[in-house]
């Protein structure tokens, strides 16, 4: 089975740094994705990790530890437009259409 | 290049009515997916397709049927709608590789009374 956990809500201040954690237990692992979803909109791709370590992409970075079943998304220099839900998704066994299993999402609110 | 499009954007149904949601993608992607998103539940896979003429069940397939007669289109049908099917439905598509991300459509908000 698949179990993916992330905090439900977080609040952070504009200009600050926030870390959103994701822990997972899956039968097979072939990568972890982070998506951003603004209210009423579609999820959009942020990052992909398949090997241990940190992937940096501008203000956003994502970290993976496969041995610990743990990932985090780091957002720096927070802006008001970063207020959104952040979805952690794990790619399990490479069967079917490389299906993703999603966590429930973390709703981030950035305050002035 | 429109990406992934969905029609309709919003629909209200009465219990027992039927409807079809249409998803179209212009990226020549092999794989297509239908999800539903409910508060506190995250995205859950309903059905998916690995190519034209082929479909398979996902995590929550009951009450839904799908068809993929053309590579670019993936249809989701509700034969007899129930209030439990009130949700936001997202279609997505992707290339074949394990590292490939899924691209999502804008969603269809469905209310079943």
């Amino acid at each position: 089975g698949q179990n993916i956990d992330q905090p439900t809500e977080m609040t952070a201040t504009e200009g600050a740094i926030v870390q959103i954690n994701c822990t997972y237990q899956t039968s097979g692992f072939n990568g972890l994705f982070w998506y951003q979803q603004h209210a009423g909109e579609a999820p959009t791709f942020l990052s992909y990790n398949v090997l241990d370590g940190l992937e940096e992409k501008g203000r956003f970075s994502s970290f993976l530890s496969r041995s610990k079943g743990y990932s985090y998304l780091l957002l720096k220099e927070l802006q008001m437009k970063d207020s959104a839900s952040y979805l952690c998704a794990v790619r399990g066994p490479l069967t079917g259409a490389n299906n993703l299993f999603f966590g429930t999402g973390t709703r981030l609110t950035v305050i002035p | 290049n429109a990406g992934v499009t969905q029609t309709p954007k919003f629909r209200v149904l009465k219990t027992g009515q039927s409807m079809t949601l249409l998803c179209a993608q212009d990226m020549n992607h092999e794989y297509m997916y239908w999800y539903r998103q409910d508060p506190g539940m995250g995205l859950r896979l309903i059905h998916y397709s690995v190519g034209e003429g082929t479909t398979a069940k996902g995590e929550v397939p009951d009450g839904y049927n799908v068809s993929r007669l053309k590579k670019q289109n993936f249809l989701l049908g509700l034969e007899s709608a129930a209030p439990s099917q009130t949700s936001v439905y997202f279609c997505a598509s992707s290339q074949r590789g394990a590292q490939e991300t899924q691209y999502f459509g804008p969603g269809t908000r469905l209310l079943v009374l």
Side-chain angles (χ1 to χ4, degrees):
Chain A
Q2 324 290 339
N3 189 38
I4 300 168
D5 288 318
Q6 44 182 138
T8 304
E9 294 189 17
M10 298 183 71
T11 301
T13 304
E14 190 176 15
I17 298 173
V18 69
Q19 177 174 313
I20 301 174
N21 296 325
C22 172
T23 59
Y24 63 89
Q25 292 175 307
T26 58
S27 54
F29 177 84
N30 284 283
L32 188 144
F33 292 78
W34 283 96
Y35 289 84
Q36 180 189 60
Q37 185 178 25
H38 285 99
E41 297 183 8
T44 55
F45 171 74
L46 286 178
S47 70
Y48 169 71
N49 295 69
V50 67
L51 299 177
D52 291 350
L54 188 68
E55 294 281 343
E56 297 188 78
K57 195 183 290 187
R59 292 190 299 115
F60 292 8
S61 302
S62 57
F63 172 82
L64 175 67
S65 169
R66 289 171 297 170
S67 63
K68 295 182 179 178
Y70 169 68
S71 173
Y72 67 72
L73 181 68
L74 194 71
L75 290 72
K76 304 175 186 176
E77 302 170 13
L78 279 173
Q79 301 175 9
M80 299 299 290
K81 68 178 182 180
D82 297 330
S83 291
S85 289
Y86 292 86
L87 314 181
C88 173
V90 173
R91 177 152 283 155
L94 294 180
T95 58
N98 298 340
N99 297 338
L100 290 175
F101 299 92
F102 284 84
T104 55
T106 299
R107 186 163 63 188
L108 173 67
T109 301
V110 180
I111 58 176
Chain B
N1 192 346
V4 182
T5 57
Q6 293 182 232
T7 52
K9 288 185 171 55
F10 177 72
R11 184 78 182 267
V12 179
L13 287 180
K14 294 181 180 179
T15 297
Q17 287 184 318
S18 63
M19 78 164 294
T20 300
L21 283 68
L22 172 63
C23 175
Q25 52 96 2
D26 61 0
M27 297 175 283
N28 201 35
H29 286 169
E30 291 292 331
Y31 297 163
M32 296 187 75
Y33 316 80
W34 275 107
Y35 293 91
R36 60 177 291 172
Q37 187 174 40
D38 302 291
M41 299 291 288
L43 284 159
R44 291 182 293 168
L45 184 66
I46 304 171
H47 285 280
Y48 64 93
S49 168
V50 299
E52 184 178 319
T54 303
T55 64
K57 294 180 180 180
E59 185 184 357
V60 288
D62 293 344
Y64 305 95
N65 57 75
V66 288
S67 64
R68 191 153 177 217
L69 300 179
K70 295 182 179 181
K71 185 177 182 179
Q72 63 269 33
N73 295 339
F74 196 27
L75 278 62
L76 178 72
L78 286 74
E79 290 184 348
S80 179
S84 61
Q85 294 178 304
T86 292
S87 187
V88 180
Y89 291 87
F90 286 101
C91 175
S93 70
S94 75
Q95 296 281 28
R96 283 185 183 179
Q99 75 283 5
E100 298 292 337
T101 184
Q102 295 181 11
Y103 294 86
F104 287 83
T108 296
R109 189 173 297 273
L110 177 65
L111 176 62
V112 182
L113 301 175

